Amino acid sequence: MQGDDFHLGLYLCYELHYRSFAGVDDDWEWEPSLLAVRRRLERAFERALRDAVRVPAFPAAADMQTKLRALIAGNESPSPARRLETSPTTDRFREFMIHRSAYQLKEADPHTWTLPRLEGRAKAAMAEIQSDEYGGGRPERMHSVLFADAMAALDLDSAYGAYLDLIPGVTLATVNLMSFLGLHRRLRGAAVGHLAAFEMTSPEPNRRYASALERLGFGS
């Protein structure tokens, strides 16, 4: 789905809405000419997404959890977590962490764009999830900080964006998807669904990652 340059370009456009870059004027965030470029990239990205992913019929609220679980169960992609658990090496885990850093160092931020676009129970539930992601008021417990700590423990540079030059487009595409969904009000349902699936599938991989790190001698 597009190449390295495409997704790096889109990632850079989105990053202006997050922490931006040293030496870049803040006015570029809303520069019309750059937004026009971003829009062209987004249109191509969305076309590719819709060509690649079948959008199921929208289920009734009572069936939502069942439908989400069915979608997740239908995923037959290889499991990086299982691979890391069964054949862990420090270099392999470092490579994995570098890939994940594109999102994890700003974990929860893309989905948080969706909060002001919700109301009622949906907004309250999402706020509760995001509060946990942000450490429940304790900065040292923010998930992005915990990930940075894990990077440092593996002798990696935990600075925000430190490995952007090394991360391929196929990885950046996963982060671009979250930003794309979060920044477009018309896609708020997809953003919430993405978050739900993400949270529903996190416990088992995280258990496997912890197991791999323990086997490598990094403790619990």
Side-chain angles (χ1 to χ4, degrees), residues 5 17 22 61 63 69 71 73 75 79 83 97 99 110 119 127 146 155 166 178 196 211-212:
D5 289 344
H17 297 296
D63 298 329
R69 292 191 182 280
L71 283 173
N75 177 30
S79 169
R83 173 68 169 167
M97 296 286 280
H99 279 271
E119 60 184 28
L146 295 175
D155 294 322
L166 300 179
M178 288 182 267
S211 174

Side-chain angles (χ1 to χ4, degrees), residues 14 16 45 50 54 74 83 105 153 157 167 171 175 184 196 205 208 218:
Y14 285 143
L16 297 177
F45 187 32
R50 293 188 180 278
R54 183 183 65 84
R83 173 68 169 167
L105 291 177
D157 188 345
I167 299 174
T171 299
V175 190
H184 289 270
R208 293 182 183 276
F218 287 96

Side-chain angles (χ1 to χ4, degrees), residues 22-166:
V24 175
D25 193 297
D26 286 343
D27 284 345
W28 277 104
E29 181 179 5
W30 299 109
E31 166 56 40
S33 61
L34 185 57
L35 290 175
V37 171
R38 193 190 92 186
R39 185 60 179 143
R40 288 199 295 272
L41 295 174
E42 286 180 326
R43 284 173 175 162
F45 187 32
E46 183 171 6
R47 283 195 300 270
L49 284 168
R50 293 188 180 278
D51 286 344
V53 179
R54 183 183 65 84
V55 179
F58 194 79
D63 298 329
M64 186 67 71
Q65 184 176 141
T66 300
K67 293 294 186 181
L68 276 173
R69 292 191 182 280
L71 283 173
I72 293 167
N75 177 30
E76 299 179 352
S77 302
S79 169
R82 185 175 292 110
R83 173 68 169 167
L84 284 169
E85 182 184 35
T86 57
S87 304
T89 69
T90 301
D91 285 345
R92 185 171 289 160
F93 216 100
R94 284 175 177 147
E95 181 180 4
F96 168 75
M97 296 286 280
I98 287 171
H99 279 271
R100 294 298 300 167
S101 68
Y103 168 66
Q104 302 294 159
L105 291 177
K106 60 182 172 195
E107 185 172 352
D109 291 348
H111 292 113
T112 299
W113 293 116
T114 312
L115 262 177
R117 290 150 185 184
L118 302 176
E119 60 184 28
R121 292 176 60 192
K123 188 168 193 171
M126 188 172 188
E128 183 178 6
I129 293 171
Q130 297 304 85
S131 176
D132 179 69
E133 297 287 325
Y134 292 124
R138 297 174 59 189
E140 74 279 5
R141 300 301 299 171
M142 292 173 61
H143 290 192
S144 58
V145 173
L146 295 175
F147 188 85
D149 291 343
M151 291 186 74
L154 285 162
D155 294 322
L156 292 171
D157 188 345
S158 62
Y160 186 86
Y163 294 103
L164 185 56
D165 288 347
L166 300 179

